[in-house]
Amino acid sequence: AFFALSGFRIEGTYGISSPSLQFWFGCTLVMVMDVIFGLMISSILYYYVLPTNLKQTSISKSNIYVLGFGVIIPCCYLLPYAVIDATGIQNSVVRFTLSAPMVFYAFRCVEAMCGFVPPVVTSSPLDYAIYYATPTEFMFDRKSGQRVMAT
């Protein structure tokens, strides 16, 4: 009666469906895979690339660029395509969930190679892994060097 009074005409059959557990399981699995890949790459960068910027190792800058631009960044861009082909993921949201963090990882790799990593996160491997593997931005207190809470 409401639609007849307001001038709308609705035809057809409509209903409410339950949430798809397969979709949520796929999104969760893809995010876990992204974070695990980010943790692996962050450990490589922390132990091989960051000491070069801090002048604490004998690895040359050219080898760092080969590692970053030749191995890590191509993996960041090609791994989502390989996973999508191997698993047959059809859902566009799950594909985006798989691909988006990889772009952040590639930019954070360039950031590490060029020496623009915030000094606060280089204090421990765990701090750098949390900074690198999560596709969110952090704010740091300049005096204490600790992460600032959002609220």
Side-chain angles (χ1 to χ4, degrees):
F2 171 76
F3 296 111
L5 293 175
S6 63
F8 291 110
R9 182 175 176 163
I10 297 178
E11 296 178 2
T13 305
Y14 299 95
I16 298 174
S17 62
S18 63
S20 170
L21 293 178
Q22 182 180 5
F23 166 76
W24 290 108
F25 178 73
C27 277
T28 304
L29 184 65
V30 162
M31 282 303 295
V32 168
M33 288 173 42
D34 282 339
V35 169
I36 289 171
F37 181 73
L39 292 174
M40 290 188 309
I41 297 300
S42 72
S43 64
I44 292 170
L45 291 175
Y46 185 80
Y47 289 110
Y48 293 107
V49 175
L50 292 181
T52 302
N53 293 330
L54 301 173
K55 310 289 189 250
Q56 296 174 351
T57 186
S58 61
I59 298 175
S60 69
K61 203 69 161 163
S62 61
N63 287 341
I64 295 303
Y65 289 139
V66 169
L67 176 67
F69 289 119
V71 178
I72 295 173
I73 293 175
C75 283
C76 287
Y77 289 128
L78 297 176
L79 182 69
Y81 292 108
V83 171
I84 288 169
D85 279 347
T87 58
I89 296 172
Q90 297 294 320
N91 192 316
S92 298
V93 174
V94 177
R95 286 181 176 196
F96 179 78
T97 304
L98 175 66
S99 303
M102 299 298 177
V103 176
F104 296 124
Y105 297 160
F107 282 121
R108 295 235 167 116
C109 179
V110 173
E111 177 185 67
M113 289 187 305
C114 296
F116 292 112
V117 177
V120 176
V121 298
T122 59
S123 60
S124 74
L126 179 63
D127 286 343
Y128 188 70
I130 291 170
Y131 169 76
Y132 188 87
T134 55
T136 56
E137 291 294 324
F138 292 106
M139 291 183 62
F140 299 98
D141 185 19
R142 293 181 188 218
K143 294 179 183 175
S144 67
Q146 298 296 322
R147 284 188 293 273
V148 177
M149 299 298 284
T151 58

Short mmCIF file of all heavy atoms in Angstrom, two decimals, residues 36-104:
data_model
loop_
_atom_site.label_atom_id
_atom_site.label_comp_id
_atom_site.label_asym_id
_atom_site.label_seq_id
_atom_site.Cartn_x
_atom_site.Cartn_y
_atom_site.Cartn_z
N ILE A 36 50.95 -12.63 5.38
CA ILE A 36 52.09 -13.55 5.44
C ILE A 36 53.14 -13.16 4.40
O ILE A 36 54.34 -13.14 4.68
CB ILE A 36 51.62 -15.01 5.25
CG1 ILE A 36 50.86 -15.47 6.49
CG2 ILE A 36 52.79 -15.95 4.97
CD1 ILE A 36 50.17 -16.80 6.35
N PHE A 37 52.70 -12.83 3.19
CA PHE A 37 53.64 -12.38 2.16
C PHE A 37 54.32 -11.08 2.60
O PHE A 37 55.53 -10.92 2.42
CB PHE A 37 52.91 -12.19 0.83
CG PHE A 37 53.81 -11.75 -0.28
CD1 PHE A 37 54.70 -12.64 -0.86
CD2 PHE A 37 53.77 -10.45 -0.76
CE1 PHE A 37 55.53 -12.24 -1.88
CE2 PHE A 37 54.60 -10.04 -1.78
CZ PHE A 37 55.48 -10.94 -2.35
N GLY A 38 53.56 -10.16 3.18
CA GLY A 38 54.14 -8.92 3.67
C GLY A 38 55.16 -9.15 4.77
O GLY A 38 56.19 -8.48 4.82
N LEU A 39 54.90 -10.12 5.65
CA LEU A 39 55.87 -10.44 6.71
C LEU A 39 57.15 -11.01 6.13
O LEU A 39 58.25 -10.69 6.60
CB LEU A 39 55.24 -11.40 7.71
CG LEU A 39 54.12 -10.84 8.57
CD1 LEU A 39 53.48 -11.95 9.41
CD2 LEU A 39 54.62 -9.72 9.45
N MET A 40 57.03 -11.85 5.11
CA MET A 40 58.24 -12.40 4.48
C MET A 40 59.07 -11.30 3.82
O MET A 40 60.29 -11.24 3.99
CB MET A 40 57.85 -13.47 3.45
CG MET A 40 57.30 -14.72 4.08
SD MET A 40 57.06 -16.09 2.94
CE MET A 40 56.12 -15.37 1.62
N ILE A 41 58.41 -10.43 3.09
CA ILE A 41 59.12 -9.35 2.41
C ILE A 41 59.70 -8.38 3.43
O ILE A 41 60.83 -7.89 3.26
CB ILE A 41 58.18 -8.63 1.41
CG1 ILE A 41 57.73 -9.59 0.33
CG2 ILE A 41 58.87 -7.43 0.80
CD1 ILE A 41 58.82 -10.20 -0.49
N SER A 42 58.98 -8.11 4.50
CA SER A 42 59.50 -7.18 5.50
C SER A 42 60.75 -7.73 6.16
O SER A 42 61.67 -6.97 6.47
CB SER A 42 58.44 -6.85 6.54
OG SER A 42 58.20 -7.95 7.38
N SER A 43 60.82 -9.02 6.38
CA SER A 43 62.03 -9.58 6.98
C SER A 43 63.22 -9.49 6.03
O SER A 43 64.34 -9.20 6.46
CB SER A 43 61.79 -11.02 7.43
OG SER A 43 61.52 -11.85 6.33
N ILE A 44 62.99 -9.70 4.74
CA ILE A 44 64.07 -9.54 3.76
C ILE A 44 64.55 -8.09 3.75
O ILE A 44 65.76 -7.83 3.78
CB ILE A 44 63.60 -9.99 2.36
CG1 ILE A 44 63.36 -11.50 2.34
CG2 ILE A 44 64.61 -9.58 1.29
CD1 ILE A 44 62.67 -11.98 1.09
N LEU A 45 63.62 -7.17 3.72
CA LEU A 45 64.00 -5.76 3.70
C LEU A 45 64.69 -5.34 4.99
O LEU A 45 65.65 -4.57 4.96
CB LEU A 45 62.77 -4.88 3.45
CG LEU A 45 62.15 -4.98 2.06
CD1 LEU A 45 60.88 -4.15 2.00
CD2 LEU A 45 63.12 -4.54 1.00
N TYR A 46 64.21 -5.83 6.12
CA TYR A 46 64.79 -5.41 7.40
C TYR A 46 66.23 -5.89 7.54
O TYR A 46 67.09 -5.15 8.03
CB TYR A 46 63.96 -5.95 8.56
CG TYR A 46 64.45 -5.45 9.90
CD1 TYR A 46 64.10 -4.19 10.35
CD2 TYR A 46 65.28 -6.23 10.70
CE1 TYR A 46 64.54 -3.72 11.57
CE2 TYR A 46 65.73 -5.77 11.91
CZ TYR A 46 65.36 -4.51 12.34
OH TYR A 46 65.81 -4.04 13.55
N TYR A 47 66.51 -7.11 7.10
CA TYR A 47 67.85 -7.65 7.31
C TYR A 47 68.84 -7.36 6.18
O TYR A 47 70.05 -7.47 6.38
CB TYR A 47 67.78 -9.15 7.57
CG TYR A 47 67.20 -9.46 8.92
CD1 TYR A 47 65.94 -10.02 9.04
CD2 TYR A 47 67.90 -9.15 10.08
CE1 TYR A 47 65.40 -10.29 10.30
CE2 TYR A 47 67.37 -9.40 11.33
CZ TYR A 47 66.13 -9.98 11.43
OH TYR A 47 65.59 -10.23 12.68
N TYR A 48 68.35 -7.03 4.98
CA TYR A 48 69.26 -6.81 3.86
C TYR A 48 69.27 -5.38 3.33
O TYR A 48 70.30 -4.88 2.94
CB TYR A 48 68.95 -7.78 2.71
CG TYR A 48 69.25 -9.20 3.09
CD1 TYR A 48 68.22 -10.10 3.35
CD2 TYR A 48 70.56 -9.64 3.22
CE1 TYR A 48 68.50 -11.40 3.71
CE2 TYR A 48 70.84 -10.94 3.59
CZ TYR A 48 69.81 -11.82 3.83
OH TYR A 48 70.08 -13.10 4.20
N VAL A 49 68.11 -4.74 3.29
CA VAL A 49 68.04 -3.41 2.69
C VAL A 49 68.26 -2.30 3.70
O VAL A 49 69.04 -1.38 3.47
CB VAL A 49 66.69 -3.22 1.95
CG1 VAL A 49 66.54 -1.81 1.44
CG2 VAL A 49 66.57 -4.22 0.83
N LEU A 50 67.60 -2.37 4.83
CA LEU A 50 67.72 -1.30 5.83
C LEU A 50 69.14 -1.13 6.37
O LEU A 50 69.58 -0.01 6.55
CB LEU A 50 66.73 -1.51 6.96
CG LEU A 50 65.27 -1.34 6.59
CD1 LEU A 50 64.38 -1.54 7.80
CD2 LEU A 50 65.01 0.02 5.98
N PRO A 51 69.90 -2.22 6.65
CA PRO A 51 71.28 -1.99 7.11
C PRO A 51 72.15 -1.28 6.08
O PRO A 51 73.07 -0.57 6.44
CB PRO A 51 71.80 -3.40 7.39
CG PRO A 51 70.60 -4.21 7.66
CD PRO A 51 69.53 -3.62 6.77
N THR A 52 71.86 -1.44 4.81
CA THR A 52 72.63 -0.74 3.78
C THR A 52 72.40 0.76 3.87
O THR A 52 73.33 1.55 3.74
CB THR A 52 72.21 -1.24 2.38
OG1 THR A 52 72.42 -2.63 2.32
CG2 THR A 52 73.01 -0.55 1.30
N ASN A 53 71.15 1.15 4.13
CA ASN A 53 70.86 2.58 4.28
C ASN A 53 71.48 3.15 5.55
O ASN A 53 71.77 4.33 5.63
CB ASN A 53 69.35 2.81 4.28
CG ASN A 53 68.73 2.50 2.94
OD1 ASN A 53 69.38 2.65 1.90
ND2 ASN A 53 67.51 2.04 2.95
N LEU A 54 71.68 2.30 6.54
CA LEU A 54 72.28 2.75 7.80
C LEU A 54 73.79 2.54 7.81
O LEU A 54 74.42 2.69 8.84
CB LEU A 54 71.63 2.01 8.97
CG LEU A 54 70.12 2.19 9.11
CD1 LEU A 54 69.58 1.28 10.20
CD2 LEU A 54 69.78 3.63 9.40
N LYS A 55 74.37 2.13 6.66
CA LYS A 55 75.81 1.90 6.51
C LYS A 55 76.34 0.85 7.47
O LYS A 55 77.43 0.96 7.99
CB LYS A 55 76.59 3.22 6.71
CG LYS A 55 76.08 4.38 5.90
CD LYS A 55 76.38 4.20 4.43
CE LYS A 55 76.06 5.47 3.68
NZ LYS A 55 74.94 5.40 2.84
N GLN A 56 75.57 -0.20 7.72
CA GLN A 56 75.98 -1.25 8.65
C GLN A 56 76.30 -2.56 7.95
O GLN A 56 76.45 -3.58 8.59
CB GLN A 56 74.88 -1.50 9.68
CG GLN A 56 74.61 -0.31 10.57
CD GLN A 56 73.43 -0.56 11.48
OE1 GLN A 56 72.72 -1.54 11.34
NE2 GLN A 56 73.23 0.35 12.41
N THR A 57 76.37 -2.59 6.64
CA THR A 57 76.65 -3.83 5.92
C THR A 57 77.47 -3.52 4.67
O THR A 57 77.58 -2.37 4.25
CB THR A 57 75.33 -4.54 5.54
OG1 THR A 57 75.64 -5.79 4.96
CG2 THR A 57 74.52 -3.73 4.56
N SER A 58 78.00 -4.57 4.09
CA SER A 58 78.85 -4.38 2.92
C SER A 58 78.12 -4.63 1.61
O SER A 58 78.75 -4.66 0.56
CB SER A 58 80.06 -5.31 3.02
OG SER A 58 79.62 -6.66 3.04
N ILE A 59 76.82 -4.86 1.66
CA ILE A 59 76.05 -5.07 0.43
C ILE A 59 75.99 -3.76 -0.33
O ILE A 59 75.68 -2.71 0.22
CB ILE A 59 74.63 -5.58 0.74
CG1 ILE A 59 74.70 -6.92 1.45
CG2 ILE A 59 73.81 -5.71 -0.53
CD1 ILE A 59 73.36 -7.44 1.91
N SER A 60 76.28 -3.82 -1.63
CA SER A 60 76.31 -2.59 -2.41
C SER A 60 74.90 -2.10 -2.72
O SER A 60 73.93 -2.86 -2.70
CB SER A 60 77.09 -2.81 -3.71
OG SER A 60 76.37 -3.68 -4.55
N LYS A 61 74.80 -0.83 -3.03
CA LYS A 61 73.51 -0.21 -3.37
C LYS A 61 72.94 -0.83 -4.64
O LYS A 61 71.73 -1.00 -4.77
CB LYS A 61 73.73 1.29 -3.53
CG LYS A 61 72.51 2.12 -3.34
CD LYS A 61 72.05 2.12 -1.91
CE LYS A 61 71.14 3.29 -1.67
NZ LYS A 61 70.36 3.13 -0.46
N SER A 62 73.80 -1.19 -5.60
CA SER A 62 73.30 -1.79 -6.83
C SER A 62 72.67 -3.15 -6.57
O SER A 62 71.67 -3.51 -7.20
CB SER A 62 74.42 -1.90 -7.87
OG SER A 62 75.45 -2.72 -7.39
N ASN A 63 73.22 -3.93 -5.65
CA ASN A 63 72.61 -5.22 -5.31
C ASN A 63 71.27 -5.03 -4.62
O ASN A 63 70.36 -5.84 -4.80
CB ASN A 63 73.54 -6.03 -4.42
CG ASN A 63 74.73 -6.57 -5.18
OD1 ASN A 63 74.71 -6.65 -6.41
ND2 ASN A 63 75.77 -6.94 -4.46
N ILE A 64 71.14 -3.97 -3.85
CA ILE A 64 69.87 -3.67 -3.21
C ILE A 64 68.82 -3.34 -4.26
O ILE A 64 67.68 -3.80 -4.18
CB ILE A 64 70.04 -2.50 -2.21
CG1 ILE A 64 70.97 -2.90 -1.08
CG2 ILE A 64 68.70 -2.04 -1.68
CD1 ILE A 64 70.53 -4.12 -0.31
N TYR A 65 69.20 -2.57 -5.27
CA TYR A 65 68.24 -2.23 -6.32
C TYR A 65 67.87 -3.45 -7.15
O TYR A 65 66.72 -3.59 -7.58
CB TYR A 65 68.80 -1.13 -7.22
CG TYR A 65 68.86 0.22 -6.55
CD1 TYR A 65 69.95 1.06 -6.71
CD2 TYR A 65 67.82 0.65 -5.75
CE1 TYR A 65 70.00 2.30 -6.09
CE2 TYR A 65 67.85 1.88 -5.11
CZ TYR A 65 68.95 2.70 -5.30
OH TYR A 65 68.98 3.91 -4.68
N VAL A 66 68.82 -4.37 -7.37
CA VAL A 66 68.49 -5.61 -8.08
C VAL A 66 67.51 -6.43 -7.25
O VAL A 66 66.55 -6.98 -7.80
CB VAL A 66 69.78 -6.41 -8.39
CG1 VAL A 66 69.45 -7.81 -8.87
CG2 VAL A 66 70.62 -5.69 -9.42
N LEU A 67 67.76 -6.52 -5.95
CA LEU A 67 66.84 -7.25 -5.08
C LEU A 67 65.46 -6.62 -5.08
O LEU A 67 64.45 -7.31 -5.23
CB LEU A 67 67.39 -7.31 -3.65
CG LEU A 67 66.51 -7.96 -2.60
CD1 LEU A 67 66.35 -9.45 -2.87
CD2 LEU A 67 67.08 -7.73 -1.21
N GLY A 68 65.40 -5.30 -4.95
CA GLY A 68 64.11 -4.62 -4.88
C GLY A 68 63.38 -4.57 -6.20
O GLY A 68 62.25 -5.04 -6.32
N PHE A 69 64.04 -3.98 -7.21
CA PHE A 69 63.38 -3.79 -8.50
C PHE A 69 63.35 -5.06 -9.35
O PHE A 69 62.51 -5.20 -10.24
CB PHE A 69 64.07 -2.68 -9.30
CG PHE A 69 63.83 -1.31 -8.74
CD1 PHE A 69 64.89 -0.54 -8.31
CD2 PHE A 69 62.56 -0.80 -8.64
CE1 PHE A 69 64.68 0.73 -7.80
CE2 PHE A 69 62.33 0.46 -8.13
CZ PHE A 69 63.40 1.23 -7.70
N GLY A 70 64.25 -6.01 -9.07
CA GLY A 70 64.31 -7.22 -9.88
C GLY A 70 63.58 -8.40 -9.30
O GLY A 70 63.19 -9.31 -10.04
N VAL A 71 63.40 -8.43 -7.98
CA VAL A 71 62.77 -9.59 -7.36
C VAL A 71 61.51 -9.21 -6.58
O VAL A 71 60.43 -9.72 -6.86
CB VAL A 71 63.78 -10.30 -6.41
CG1 VAL A 71 63.11 -11.48 -5.71
CG2 VAL A 71 65.00 -10.77 -7.17
N ILE A 72 61.65 -8.31 -5.60
CA ILE A 72 60.53 -8.05 -4.68
C ILE A 72 59.37 -7.36 -5.37
O ILE A 72 58.22 -7.80 -5.26
CB ILE A 72 61.03 -7.24 -3.46
CG1 ILE A 72 62.02 -8.07 -2.65
CG2 ILE A 72 59.86 -6.81 -2.60
CD1 ILE A 72 62.68 -7.33 -1.53
N ILE A 73 59.64 -6.27 -6.08
CA ILE A 73 58.54 -5.53 -6.71
C ILE A 73 57.85 -6.34 -7.80
O ILE A 73 56.61 -6.36 -7.86
CB ILE A 73 59.02 -4.16 -7.20
CG1 ILE A 73 59.39 -3.30 -5.98
CG2 ILE A 73 57.97 -3.46 -8.05
CD1 ILE A 73 59.99 -1.97 -6.30
N PRO A 74 58.59 -7.06 -8.69
CA PRO A 74 57.86 -7.92 -9.64
C PRO A 74 57.02 -8.99 -8.95
O PRO A 74 55.92 -9.30 -9.41
CB PRO A 74 58.97 -8.55 -10.48
CG PRO A 74 60.07 -7.56 -10.43
CD PRO A 74 60.01 -6.98 -9.05
N CYS A 75 57.51 -9.54 -7.83
CA CYS A 75 56.70 -10.51 -7.08
C CYS A 75 55.42 -9.87 -6.55
O CYS A 75 54.36 -10.49 -6.56
CB CYS A 75 57.50 -11.11 -5.94
SG CYS A 75 58.68 -12.34 -6.45
N CYS A 76 55.55 -8.63 -6.09
CA CYS A 76 54.36 -7.94 -5.56
C CYS A 76 53.30 -7.75 -6.64
O CYS A 76 52.11 -7.83 -6.36
CB CYS A 76 54.76 -6.57 -5.00
SG CYS A 76 55.65 -6.65 -3.45
N TYR A 77 53.73 -7.49 -7.86
CA TYR A 77 52.75 -7.25 -8.92
C TYR A 77 52.29 -8.52 -9.62
O TYR A 77 51.19 -8.56 -10.17
CB TYR A 77 53.31 -6.26 -9.94
CG TYR A 77 53.40 -4.86 -9.40
CD1 TYR A 77 54.57 -4.13 -9.48
CD2 TYR A 77 52.32 -4.27 -8.78
CE1 TYR A 77 54.65 -2.84 -8.97
CE2 TYR A 77 52.38 -2.99 -8.25
CZ TYR A 77 53.55 -2.28 -8.36
OH TYR A 77 53.62 -1.02 -7.84
N LEU A 78 53.11 -9.57 -9.64
CA LEU A 78 52.75 -10.78 -10.36
C LEU A 78 52.11 -11.85 -9.48
O LEU A 78 51.36 -12.69 -9.99
CB LEU A 78 53.98 -11.36 -11.06
CG LEU A 78 54.59 -10.47 -12.13
CD1 LEU A 78 55.86 -11.10 -12.69
CD2 LEU A 78 53.60 -10.20 -13.24
N LEU A 79 52.38 -11.83 -8.19
CA LEU A 79 51.82 -12.85 -7.31
C LEU A 79 50.29 -12.86 -7.30
O LEU A 79 49.69 -13.95 -7.34
CB LEU A 79 52.36 -12.68 -5.89
CG LEU A 79 51.89 -13.71 -4.89
CD1 LEU A 79 52.48 -15.07 -5.22
CD2 LEU A 79 52.25 -13.31 -3.48
N PRO A 80 49.60 -11.71 -7.25
CA PRO A 80 48.13 -11.78 -7.28
C PRO A 80 47.58 -12.47 -8.52
O PRO A 80 46.62 -13.24 -8.43
CB PRO A 80 47.69 -10.32 -7.22
CG PRO A 80 48.81 -9.61 -6.59
CD PRO A 80 50.05 -10.33 -7.02
N TYR A 81 48.19 -12.23 -9.68
CA TYR A 81 47.73 -12.89 -10.90
C TYR A 81 47.93 -14.40 -10.82
O TYR A 81 47.07 -15.18 -11.25
CB TYR A 81 48.45 -12.33 -12.12
CG TYR A 81 48.07 -10.91 -12.42
CD1 TYR A 81 48.97 -9.87 -12.19
CD2 TYR A 81 46.82 -10.59 -12.93
CE1 TYR A 81 48.64 -8.56 -12.45
CE2 TYR A 81 46.48 -9.28 -13.20
CZ TYR A 81 47.40 -8.27 -12.96
OH TYR A 81 47.05 -6.98 -13.22
N ALA A 82 49.05 -14.83 -10.27
CA ALA A 82 49.31 -16.26 -10.14
C ALA A 82 48.33 -16.91 -9.17
O ALA A 82 47.82 -18.01 -9.43
CB ALA A 82 50.75 -16.48 -9.67
N VAL A 83 48.05 -16.24 -8.06
CA VAL A 83 47.10 -16.80 -7.08
C VAL A 83 45.69 -16.84 -7.67
O VAL A 83 44.97 -17.83 -7.49
CB VAL A 83 47.14 -15.97 -5.77
CG1 VAL A 83 46.02 -16.38 -4.84
CG2 VAL A 83 48.48 -16.12 -5.10
N ILE A 84 45.30 -15.80 -8.39
CA ILE A 84 43.97 -15.78 -9.00
C ILE A 84 43.84 -16.89 -10.03
O ILE A 84 42.82 -17.58 -10.10
CB ILE A 84 43.68 -14.39 -9.61
CG1 ILE A 84 43.44 -13.37 -8.50
CG2 ILE A 84 42.47 -14.44 -10.55
CD1 ILE A 84 43.41 -11.94 -8.98
N ASP A 85 44.87 -17.10 -10.85
CA ASP A 85 44.84 -18.19 -11.84
C ASP A 85 44.82 -19.55 -11.17
O ASP A 85 44.10 -20.46 -11.61
CB ASP A 85 46.04 -18.10 -12.78
CG ASP A 85 45.83 -17.10 -13.89
OD1 ASP A 85 44.67 -16.65 -14.09
OD2 ASP A 85 46.82 -16.75 -14.57
N ALA A 86 45.62 -19.72 -10.11
CA ALA A 86 45.71 -21.02 -9.45
C ALA A 86 44.44 -21.38 -8.70
O ALA A 86 44.05 -22.54 -8.66
CB ALA A 86 46.90 -21.05 -8.50
N THR A 87 43.80 -20.40 -8.09
CA THR A 87 42.61 -20.68 -7.28
C THR A 87 41.30 -20.49 -8.04
O THR A 87 40.27 -20.97 -7.59
CB THR A 87 42.58 -19.78 -6.03
OG1 THR A 87 42.59 -18.42 -6.45
CG2 THR A 87 43.77 -20.07 -5.14
N GLY A 88 41.32 -19.77 -9.14
CA GLY A 88 40.09 -19.54 -9.89
C GLY A 88 39.14 -18.57 -9.21
O GLY A 88 37.93 -18.72 -9.32
N ILE A 89 39.68 -17.59 -8.51
CA ILE A 89 38.83 -16.61 -7.81
C ILE A 89 38.04 -15.81 -8.84
O ILE A 89 38.61 -15.23 -9.75
CB ILE A 89 39.69 -15.67 -6.94
CG1 ILE A 89 40.39 -16.45 -5.84
CG2 ILE A 89 38.83 -14.57 -6.34
CD1 ILE A 89 41.40 -15.63 -5.06
N GLN A 90 36.72 -15.78 -8.68
CA GLN A 90 35.85 -15.06 -9.61
C GLN A 90 35.33 -13.74 -9.04
O GLN A 90 35.02 -12.83 -9.78
CB GLN A 90 34.65 -15.94 -9.97
CG GLN A 90 35.03 -17.20 -10.71
CD GLN A 90 35.60 -16.91 -12.08
OE1 GLN A 90 35.13 -16.04 -12.78
NE2 GLN A 90 36.64 -17.65 -12.44
N ASN A 91 35.23 -13.64 -7.73
CA ASN A 91 34.65 -12.48 -7.10
C ASN A 91 35.60 -11.28 -7.20
O ASN A 91 36.76 -11.35 -6.82
CB ASN A 91 34.36 -12.79 -5.63
CG ASN A 91 33.50 -11.75 -4.99
OD1 ASN A 91 33.70 -10.56 -5.16
ND2 ASN A 91 32.52 -12.21 -4.21
N SER A 92 35.09 -10.17 -7.69
CA SER A 92 35.91 -8.97 -7.89
C SER A 92 36.40 -8.37 -6.57
O SER A 92 37.51 -7.85 -6.51
CB SER A 92 35.11 -7.90 -8.65
OG SER A 92 34.76 -8.38 -9.91
N VAL A 93 35.59 -8.45 -5.53
CA VAL A 93 36.00 -7.90 -4.24
C VAL A 93 37.15 -8.71 -3.66
O VAL A 93 38.11 -8.16 -3.12
CB VAL A 93 34.80 -7.86 -3.27
CG1 VAL A 93 35.22 -7.42 -1.89
CG2 VAL A 93 33.72 -6.96 -3.81
N VAL A 94 37.09 -10.02 -3.77
CA VAL A 94 38.17 -10.87 -3.27
C VAL A 94 39.44 -10.63 -4.09
O VAL A 94 40.54 -10.58 -3.54
CB VAL A 94 37.75 -12.35 -3.28
CG1 VAL A 94 38.90 -13.24 -2.83
CG2 VAL A 94 36.55 -12.56 -2.38
N ARG A 95 39.30 -10.46 -5.38
CA ARG A 95 40.46 -10.14 -6.22
C ARG A 95 41.09 -8.81 -5.81
O ARG A 95 42.31 -8.70 -5.72
CB ARG A 95 40.06 -10.05 -7.69
CG ARG A 95 39.78 -11.37 -8.32
CD ARG A 95 39.43 -11.17 -9.77
NE ARG A 95 39.25 -12.44 -10.41
CZ ARG A 95 39.24 -12.61 -11.72
NH1 ARG A 95 39.38 -11.57 -12.51
NH2 ARG A 95 39.08 -13.80 -12.23
N PHE A 96 40.27 -7.82 -5.54
CA PHE A 96 40.79 -6.53 -5.10
C PHE A 96 41.46 -6.66 -3.73
O PHE A 96 42.51 -6.06 -3.48
CB PHE A 96 39.67 -5.49 -5.05
CG PHE A 96 40.13 -4.15 -4.58
CD1 PHE A 96 40.82 -3.30 -5.43
CD2 PHE A 96 39.91 -3.75 -3.27
CE1 PHE A 96 41.26 -2.07 -5.00
CE2 PHE A 96 40.36 -2.52 -2.83
CZ PHE A 96 41.03 -1.67 -3.70
N THR A 97 40.85 -7.44 -2.83
CA THR A 97 41.42 -7.66 -1.51
C THR A 97 42.79 -8.32 -1.61
O THR A 97 43.67 -8.03 -0.82
CB THR A 97 40.47 -8.52 -0.66
OG1 THR A 97 39.19 -7.90 -0.62
CG2 THR A 97 40.99 -8.71 0.74
N LEU A 98 42.97 -9.17 -2.59
CA LEU A 98 44.27 -9.81 -2.82
C LEU A 98 45.28 -8.85 -3.42
O LEU A 98 46.44 -8.84 -3.05
CB LEU A 98 44.09 -11.03 -3.73
CG LEU A 98 45.35 -11.75 -4.17
CD1 LEU A 98 46.04 -12.38 -2.97
CD2 LEU A 98 45.03 -12.80 -5.20
N SER A 99 44.84 -8.00 -4.33
CA SER A 99 45.77 -7.17 -5.11
C SER A 99 46.15 -5.86 -4.43
O SER A 99 47.29 -5.39 -4.60
CB SER A 99 45.16 -6.86 -6.47
OG SER A 99 44.85 -8.05 -7.14
N ALA A 100 45.26 -5.24 -3.70
CA ALA A 100 45.52 -3.90 -3.16
C ALA A 100 46.72 -3.84 -2.21
O ALA A 100 47.56 -2.94 -2.36
CB ALA A 100 44.27 -3.36 -2.49
N PRO A 101 46.86 -4.74 -1.24
CA PRO A 101 48.03 -4.63 -0.36
C PRO A 101 49.36 -4.81 -1.10
O PRO A 101 50.38 -4.28 -0.66
CB PRO A 101 47.83 -5.75 0.66
CG PRO A 101 46.38 -6.00 0.67
CD PRO A 101 45.93 -5.76 -0.74
N MET A 102 49.36 -5.52 -2.20
CA MET A 102 50.60 -5.73 -2.94
C MET A 102 51.15 -4.41 -3.49
O MET A 102 52.36 -4.23 -3.59
CB MET A 102 50.39 -6.73 -4.08
CG MET A 102 49.97 -8.08 -3.62
SD MET A 102 51.20 -8.84 -2.57
CE MET A 102 50.37 -10.33 -2.14
N VAL A 103 50.28 -3.49 -3.85
CA VAL A 103 50.72 -2.18 -4.32
C VAL A 103 51.40 -1.43 -3.17
O VAL A 103 52.45 -0.82 -3.35
CB VAL A 103 49.53 -1.38 -4.88
CG1 VAL A 103 49.96 0.01 -5.29
CG2 VAL A 103 48.91 -2.12 -6.06
N PHE A 104 50.80 -1.51 -1.98
CA PHE A 104 51.43 -0.88 -0.81
C PHE A 104 52.80 -1.50 -0.53
O PHE A 104 53.74 -0.79 -0.20
CB PHE A 104 50.54 -1.04 0.43
CG PHE A 104 49.23 -0.33 0.33
CD1 PHE A 104 48.05 -1.02 0.49
CD2 PHE A 104 49.19 1.03 0.08
CE1 PHE A 104 46.84 -0.37 0.41
CE2 PHE A 104 47.97 1.69 -0.01
CZ PHE A 104 46.81 0.98 0.16
#
